[in-house]
Amino acid sequence: MKSAAFWLIVSLQISVCFAQGVWTQKADFAGSARMYSVGFSVGNFGYIGTGQSGAGCMSDFWEYDPSVNIWSPKASLISPGRYEAVGFSIGNKGYIGLGYNCTVRIKDFWEYDPGTDTWTQKADFDGGPRAIAFAFSVGSKGYVGAGYGDSCTNGKCADFWEYDSASNLWTQKAGFNGLPRYWAFGFSVGSKGYVTTGMDTVNPNPPYKKDLWEYDTTTDVWVQKADFPGMKRFGASGFSLGTNAYVGLGLDSIGIGYSGDFYRWSQISNTWTPIANFAGTSRFQTVGFSINGKGYIGTGYDGAPSLTSTFWEYTPSSIGINEPSLPMVTLFPNPADDLLMVNSSVVSIRTVEIYNISGAKVHSINISNQPTTIDISFLQGGVYFVETIGSDNKTSVAKLVKR
């Protein structure tokens, strides 16, 4: 390791945590104002299309470039317009399917190639015609479940299906353990899929939900996780960044109306943390996706002026001071060159994560012994934040200067 001019041990008497983040309004979605749209991100671009507007069922499709803050029209979906469909991305392709075409529920499924701006019809969804289902993707597979479908008892669905993009085949998997559900929000973090909120009129006590379920794609098993901390609701939205998911908005369960609150869920600690409320009007049935460490939310229904085309960017912030949670965390040396030792004299540290000044995670490591020494030679010089997660699932963040 390079010689150091001086050594500094930082013993934290208070802990710090990531602040609430910042919402910034971007260029309005260039299509007509709408709700019940679908979207996804592929590479450095985001996409929004279909949905319900004043003109009825939509089939248009648009690309957002965050580097220049511009929307560009793309090839429309080659099918009747629809809303309440599902969408996700796998690799360098996007997928849209199912939904309601203003007359009947449908089951067709389409692949979008951004490189050629073309749509290709794929195998129909094997669960039958369906709308307001949840969806997410993990690796080379897409997943669709629950919703309101023609093949389900009284229309209420709890089945769950896997789409293999390589073989173009649908396979039924273990049914959703949250029981029949529609207008739920699905997302993925790493190798796991998740479903939260929504409505269940089969077991209406009450019909709105806030439970969170994790799906393990390897074992085909659902496991319940920590409940969403906001009001029970349906029509929520959000996005994933690293090992965290961000969930909010929707229509709440006690008649207050459209929600504007947002929360961060940590996959590592299975805990929820409130972040800055959505800066636009409270709304539901929006589109959310992430691009290069930032989240995006757009379109939806806000009650006044009803359908909206506004579009917002969420940037995770650096740090803010909070109550003590994991005391006496030591970073040694600080400033550091190639190696960093992390230790706590009070609580066993389970995970160490390093974030840059913009809030993007640049390194993560699970540890079993402490003190532990971490190789940080790959980091460029500058300011970073080291988040430590203890065996009690509490977190602390310390400032690190890398030379």
Side-chain angles (χ1 to χ4, degrees), residues 65-104:
D65 184 344
S67 67
V68 292
N69 190 30
I70 290 177
W71 290 93
S72 301
K74 294 297 177 178
S76 295
L77 182 62
I78 310 172
S79 71
R82 69 187 68 202
Y83 62 89
E84 298 177 343
V86 297
F88 51 78
S89 60
I90 298 175
N92 61 355
K93 305 289 178 61
Y95 296 86
I96 291 179
L98 290 63
Y100 186 71
N101 70 359
C102 283
T103 303
V104 295

Side-chain angles (χ1 to χ4, degrees), residues 259-401:
S259 300
D261 52 341
F262 245 91
Y263 304 85
R264 181 188 74 173
W265 180 73
S266 167
Q267 184 188 61
I268 294 175
S269 62
N270 187 30
T271 56
W272 292 90
T273 303
I275 64 168
N277 284 353
F278 182 63
T281 54
S282 298
R283 63 189 66 183
F284 86 135
Q285 296 301 342
T286 67
V287 173
F289 51 73
S290 58
I291 304 172
N292 295 330
K294 296 185 178 182
Y296 295 88
I297 293 286
T299 67
Y301 182 88
D302 63 8
S306 299
L307 300 177
T308 179
S309 59
T310 60
F311 187 70
W312 295 78
E313 176 187 83
Y314 175 77
T315 303
S317 292
S318 49
I319 61 169
I321 297 177
N322 207 338
E323 295 299 320
S325 58
L326 186 59
M328 298 300 291
V329 174
T330 301
L331 303 182
F332 180 84
N334 192 0
D337 292 304
D338 292 343
L339 298 176
L340 175 70
M341 186 177 71
V342 182
N343 191 30
S344 172
S345 61
V346 178
V347 178
S348 296
I349 298 173
R350 183 164 53 88
T351 302
V352 177
E353 296 181 342
I354 302 177
Y355 295 78
N356 63 23
I357 194 68
S358 299
K361 183 164 61 176
V362 296
H363 190 55
S364 178
I365 184 171
N366 295 324
I367 64 175
S368 56
N369 299 306
Q370 58 184 81
T372 188
T373 300
I374 301 172
D375 181 4
I376 60 170
S377 59
F378 63 95
L379 295 177
Q380 296 181 349
V383 176
Y384 295 86
F385 301 99
V386 179
E387 181 179 52
T388 50
I389 303 172
S391 57
D392 59 356
N393 289 330
K394 293 184 178 180
T395 64
S396 177
V397 180
K399 180 179 176 180
L400 167 68
V401 177

Side-chain angles (χ1 to χ4, degrees), residues 3 9 32 37 59 87 115 146 148 173 204 206 209 233 250 259-260 271 282 287 299-300 307 337 360 386:
S3 60
I9 299 177
S32 59
S37 301
S59 61
Y148 199 95
K173 311 299 284 187
K209 301 298 178 183
R233 66 191 66 191
S259 300
T271 56
S282 298
V287 173
T299 67
L307 300 177
D337 292 304
V386 179

Side-chain angles (χ1 to χ4, degrees), residues 151-173:
S151 303
C152 304
T153 302
N154 297 319
K156 316 301 194 307
C157 304
D159 55 339
F160 183 63
W161 297 78
E162 177 187 82
Y163 176 72
D164 187 328
S165 60
S167 63
N168 188 31
L169 292 175
W170 291 93
T171 303
Q172 189 165 9
K173 311 299 284 187

